[in-house]
Amino acid sequence: MFDARLRPLIDPALNRMGAALARRGVSANQVSAAGAACGALAGLAIGLGHPLAGLALILASRLLDGLDGAVARHRGTTDLGGYLDIVCDYVFYLAIPLGFGFAAPANLPFALVLTASFTLTAVSFLAYATLAAKRGLETQAHGPKSFFYSTGLAEGGETLLAFVLMCLWPAGFPIIASVFAALCILTVIQRSLIASRVFR
């Protein structure tokens, strides 16, 4: 929901950092993999009872997620890079609720609901992107991407905010997870309604 509005604010700084990394021979795929590793380690830290360490790793992961595209814009985009970007994103998205699920038994049902809602959101996102590519549709709302990014209520910015709140208020995980799972379901409904108009 906020991603398209944030991009003009954060892209200039990311592009400068991405250019510096590209000049040093760092590839976009390496940056994507590093972001996924930080995300997985964030989930591990949370699961072991260290939510603030998890928060630091979450922020590092999202910085790297922004930088991989910036590096790619300087070194050249590839289809493999687009594939790795989305796979690495979902390593991150699933690691955090799983971490909270392992951190406390009471969190487990809510972690399962949240991971299920993330999975359903991913399915709707990728299905929309596949059909948009088939029809030759394009969008620049989220910056240059390897495939069509359909807008929704629950996007990267909202997910990051929810994860930050979870780490700062671990006891509130069930509440935050429930609210965000509902937001994900609304995103799937929203995207499905748009698809029903666009893909007739």
Side-chain angles (χ1 to χ4, degrees), residues 38-157:
C38 285
L41 288 172
L44 178 62
I46 292 165
L48 293 174
H50 305 290
L52 293 182
L55 175 56
L57 287 162
I58 284 170
L59 296 176
S61 175
R62 293 307 84 194
L63 173 61
L64 291 165
D65 179 58
L67 283 174
D68 61 1
V71 172
R73 285 191 285 277
H74 288 279
R75 296 194 58 170
T77 59
T78 66
D79 289 342
L80 175 60
Y83 169 82
L84 287 176
D85 181 46
I86 194 68
V87 170
C88 290
D89 276 349
Y90 276 91
V91 169
F92 167 77
Y93 290 142
L94 297 179
I96 307 309
L98 287 174
F100 278 102
F102 280 103
N107 286 345
L108 187 56
F110 302 95
L112 289 172
V113 169
L114 186 55
T115 54
S117 69
F118 278 153
T119 302
L120 186 58
T121 305
V123 169
S124 72
F125 175 82
L126 294 173
Y128 195 105
T130 300
L131 292 173
K134 181 180 177 182
R135 293 183 175 226
L137 302 180
E138 296 182 357
T139 179
Q140 293 290 315
H142 295 78
K145 297 291 184 180
S146 297
F147 45 83
F148 193 98
Y149 265 55
S150 53
T151 299
L153 294 173
E155 296 181 325

